[in-house]
């Protein structure tokens, strides 16, 4: 059993606090370098990450207040060198680095921030050529946003007066570096756009370090340039200097003087262009006038007067009338010859009318006699038939002394004595009148009259 009375016993929290005090006293601030990994920034704004090298890893944190001074954003994979305090996080008993300052390893923080912002705005399309606005050929008014006392504004004014003295310039003086530079540059761009009195904006400043050009590498200035409805020409720093504003601008000039040269046309050159165009126009008009004069002369030569046209039609009509008369005469002579020929032809084909008439009379008499004979025959036949019918008439039979006996009351002709009985009433039809009587006796069998 260990001897606890001779050994000091620590509680976990006590030992942890002792270790923390020891570490913080031993390592109040250390410069350390490594690669950031597992970087996370929750809603609190603090950034938690691990700082590692090939063989070890330490937890790190940078609180929101210290991050305000950073010119770049923390991200995994970024190699940094920072000033940190070594401390212990007592609830878990782990030690960590609390960073007070941090710089990207290799490039400076401003350069890193520049690259990060450039990549961000490039991904959003702010640098795309499709968004670039054309610069007017001859702007009526140019707004110059730059320092009111710098060399840039003097260079721009000098170049503008030399190239086109009548061009109106508006100077909007703003600080081009320092804390208020970003805000005032953005306000100047927005003011020019609100008034809509200028045709183009020149955003310029002289050369300087990356820190001096920080305002032109800010996101606020870049977005103000992008949203401007008036085209913006940048002339910032020297020819080798590129800022975020240059990438977003509609036209980038290497220097302020170059920006003025790109924006303000040279009057002498324009005048020479106008003179050349005037000469070209006169030459073209002269050629066109000559061409059209020749064409008019040609058409005038081909054009006939109304009198000529009328005479031509009159001659045509006379010719047509003459041809028509000749044609009619030929037609009359032809028809006359044809008629004479037809008369001669008819004379040889006229039949003997008298002979034909006698033949017709003879045939008429023959036909009449044939019809008369036929009628007599038909009449004789009709008379014979009528005599036959008369002989067969019951009235003729009665007139010859015969009578017809019929039963009463059904009036059936009695042909057989066996069909009647004694005392049956009968009717006897005579040639003149009828006799109603009764049967006295019936004698059957045939009997001659």
């Amino acid at each position: 059993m260990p001897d606890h009375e001779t050994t000091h016993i620590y509680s976990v929290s006590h030992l942890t606090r002792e270790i923390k005090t020891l570490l913080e006293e031993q390592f109040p601030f250390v410069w350390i370098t490594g690669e950031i990994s597992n970087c996370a920034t929750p809603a609190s704004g603090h950034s938690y990450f691990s700082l590692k090298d090939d063989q070890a890893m330490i937890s790190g944190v940078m609180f929101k207040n210290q991050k305000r001074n950073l010119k770049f954003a923390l991200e995994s994979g970024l190699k940094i060198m920072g000033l940190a305090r070594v401390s212990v996080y007592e609830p878990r008993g782990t030690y960590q680095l609390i960073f007070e300052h941090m710089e990207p390893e290799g490039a400076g923080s401003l350069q890193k921030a520049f690259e990060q912002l450039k990549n961000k705005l490039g991904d959003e399309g702010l640098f795309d050529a499709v968004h670039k606005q054309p610069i007017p050929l001859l702007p009526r008014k140019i707004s110059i946003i730059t320092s009111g006392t710098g060399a840039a504004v003097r260079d721009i004014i000098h170049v503008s007066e030399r190239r086109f003295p009548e061009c109106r310039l508006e100077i909007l003086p703003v600080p081009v570096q320092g804390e208020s530079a970003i805000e005032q540059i953005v306000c100047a761009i927005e003011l020019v756009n609100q008034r809509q009195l200028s045709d183009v904006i020149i955003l310029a400043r002289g050369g300087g370090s990356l820190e001096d050009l920080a305002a032109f590498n800010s996101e606020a200035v870049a977005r103000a340039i992008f949203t401007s409805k008036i085209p913006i020409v940048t002339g910032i720093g020297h020819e080798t200097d590129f800022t975020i504003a240059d990438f977003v601008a509609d036209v980038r000039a290497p220097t302020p003087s170059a920006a003025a040269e790109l924006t303000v046309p040279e009057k002498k050159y324009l005048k020479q262009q106008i003179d050349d165009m005037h000469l070209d126009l006169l030459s073209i008009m002269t050629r066109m006038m000559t061409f059209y004069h020749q064409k008019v002369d040609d058409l005038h030569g081909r054009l006939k007067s109304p009198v000529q046209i009328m005479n031509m039609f009159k001659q045509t009509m006379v010719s047509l009338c003459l041809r028509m008369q000749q044609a009619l005469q030929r037609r009359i002579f032809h028809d006359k010859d044809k008629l004479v020929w037809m008369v001669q032809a008819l004379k040889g084909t006229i039949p003997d009318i008298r002979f034909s008439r006698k033949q017709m009379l003879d045939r008429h008499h023959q036909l009449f006699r044939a019809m008369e004979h036929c009628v007599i025959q038909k009449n004789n036949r009709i008379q014979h038939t009528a005599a036959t019918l008369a002989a067969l008439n019951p009235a003729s039979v009665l007139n010859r002394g015969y009578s017809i006996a019929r039963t009463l009351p059904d009036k059936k002709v009695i042909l057989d004595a066996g069909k009647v009985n004694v005392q049956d009433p009968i009717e006897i039809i005579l040639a003149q009148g009828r006799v109603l009587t009764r049967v006295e006796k019936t004698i059957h069998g045939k009997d001659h009259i």
Side-chain angles (χ1 to χ4, degrees):
M1 183 175 180
D3 187 3
H4 293 166
E5 294 180 356
T6 58
T7 304
H8 180 73
I9 300 175
Y10 290 90
S11 64
V12 175
S13 58
H14 186 196
L15 178 59
T16 303
R17 191 174 304 112
E18 290 290 333
I19 294 172
K20 178 181 179 183
T21 302
L22 182 62
L23 285 176
E24 290 180 352
E25 289 177 355
Q26 185 67 30
F27 302 101
F29 285 100
V30 295
W31 285 96
I32 187 169
T33 183
E35 179 182 330
I36 293 176
S37 64
N38 302 322
C39 184
T41 304
S44 62
H46 310 315
S47 291
Y48 301 93
F49 51 88
S50 298
L51 193 67
K52 66 179 183 179
D53 57 16
D54 296 338
Q55 298 179 354
M57 178 182 294
I58 307 174
S59 297
V61 61
M62 192 168 196
F63 296 115
K64 183 177 180 180
N65 290 335
Q66 282 69 34
K67 285 176 59 182
R68 290 175 180 173
N69 299 321
L70 289 182
K71 304 298 184 183
F72 61 97
L74 296 181
E75 58 187 15
S76 297
L78 179 65
K79 292 184 178 180
I80 58 94
M81 181 178 66
L83 180 64
R85 293 182 289 111
V86 179
S87 181
V88 173
Y89 185 56
E90 295 183 38
R92 287 203 297 264
T94 58
Y95 76 98
Q96 61 183 3
L97 297 171
I98 301 175
F99 281 86
E100 299 291 336
H101 177 71
M102 192 179 290
E103 289 286 343
E105 192 177 50
S109 60
L110 289 177
Q111 184 63 34
K112 186 64 181 178
F114 173 86
E115 293 175 357
Q116 289 179 338
L117 181 60
K118 179 184 174 184
N119 294 333
K120 175 184 175 183
L121 298 183
D123 293 341
E124 293 181 14
L126 269 67
F127 306 155
D128 293 348
V130 68
H131 301 303
K132 305 297 183 185
Q133 303 180 74
I135 304 300
L137 175 64
L138 183 59
R140 295 165 299 176
K141 182 179 179 182
I142 300 173
S143 293
I144 303 168
I145 301 175
T146 186
S147 171
T149 58
V153 67
R154 292 195 298 272
D155 293 342
I156 293 172
I157 293 173
H158 174 71
V159 171
S160 299
E161 289 181 346
R162 174 173 54 83
R163 293 175 66 86
F164 205 105
E166 291 79 5
C167 184
R168 295 173 56 195
L169 301 179
E170 177 189 43
I171 310 299
L172 285 85
V174 294
V176 292
Q177 66 184 70
E179 296 182 354
S180 62
I182 296 175
E183 181 181 358
Q184 295 203 34
I185 291 173
V186 171
C187 290
I189 294 173
E190 293 175 349
L191 177 64
V192 177
N193 276 272
Q194 290 171 2
R195 294 189 302 190
Q196 286 293 314
L197 299 176
S198 301
D199 296 322
V200 64
I201 297 173
I202 295 178
L203 178 61
R205 70 146 287 156
S209 64
L210 196 58
E211 288 79 4
D212 295 337
L213 301 177
F216 298 91
N217 288 323
S218 67
E219 183 173 354
V221 172
R223 295 195 181 279
I225 295 173
F226 182 75
T227 56
S228 174
K229 302 299 181 186
I230 299 174
I232 295 180
V233 178
T234 55
I236 301 169
H238 302 295
E239 188 168 355
T240 57
D241 294 332
F242 278 88
T243 65
I244 297 296
D246 291 325
F247 291 111
V248 186
D250 298 291
V251 175
R252 182 256 176 185
T255 61
S257 299
E261 291 180 352
L262 289 174
T263 309
V264 181
E266 190 170 10
K267 184 177 180 180
K268 180 180 178 182
Y269 175 72
L270 288 178
K271 188 174 182 300
Q272 183 62 43
Q273 278 190 317
I274 293 173
D275 292 340
D276 293 342
M277 292 172 68
H278 178 70
L279 292 176
D280 291 342
L281 183 61
L282 285 177
S283 177
I284 292 172
M285 290 183 64
T286 301
R287 290 198 301 270
M288 291 182 66
M289 292 297 292
T290 302
F291 170 76
Y292 285 115
H293 278 303
Q294 292 176 352
K295 192 170 184 179
V296 168
D297 293 339
D298 179 61
L299 293 173
H300 185 267
R302 295 164 58 186
L303 185 64
K304 296 180 180 179
S305 69
V307 175
Q308 290 177 326
I309 295 174
M310 289 181 64
N311 290 334
M312 183 182 67
F313 281 110
K314 187 177 179 180
Q315 292 176 0
T316 303
M317 288 181 64
V318 170
S319 176
L320 291 174
C321 288
L322 181 61
R323 292 172 60 186
M324 185 174 66
Q325 289 177 357
Q326 293 174 351
L328 287 173
Q329 287 179 356
R330 286 195 298 271
R331 183 63 180 269
I332 291 172
F333 291 151
H334 173 74
D335 291 346
K336 185 178 179 179
D337 293 341
K338 187 176 180 181
L339 181 60
V340 171
W341 176 80
M342 292 179 68
V343 169
Q344 294 297 330
L346 284 173
K347 283 182 179 179
T349 57
I350 292 175
D352 190 348
I353 297 175
R354 288 176 299 178
F355 177 75
S356 298
R357 186 174 182 180
K358 184 176 179 305
Q359 283 186 328
M360 289 180 63
L361 288 175
D362 293 342
R363 290 183 180 179
H364 174 73
H365 290 314
Q366 290 176 359
L367 180 62
F368 181 76
R369 284 195 297 272
M371 289 181 63
E372 186 178 23
H373 176 71
C374 182
V375 169
I376 292 172
Q377 284 183 341
K378 294 297 181 182
N379 191 23
N380 292 338
R381 188 172 180 179
I382 290 171
Q383 289 179 359
H384 177 73
T385 303
T388 303
L389 289 174
L392 297 176
N393 189 353
S396 298
V397 176
L398 293 175
N399 287 334
R400 289 200 303 268
Y402 294 96
S403 61
I404 300 173
R406 296 189 301 184
T407 61
L408 291 175
D410 52 359
K411 294 185 178 180
K412 291 183 178 178
V413 176
I414 302 171
L415 299 177
D416 187 0
K419 298 296 179 181
V420 297
N421 299 316
V422 178
Q423 294 301 319
D424 286 344
I426 60 174
E427 178 186 38
I428 300 173
I429 302 172
L430 304 176
Q432 297 293 330
R434 292 179 300 169
V435 176
L436 301 179
T437 185
R438 289 185 183 275
V439 178
E440 290 294 337
K441 182 180 179 181
T442 61
I443 301 172
H444 299 281
K446 293 183 179 180
D447 193 4
H448 298 287
I449 300 173

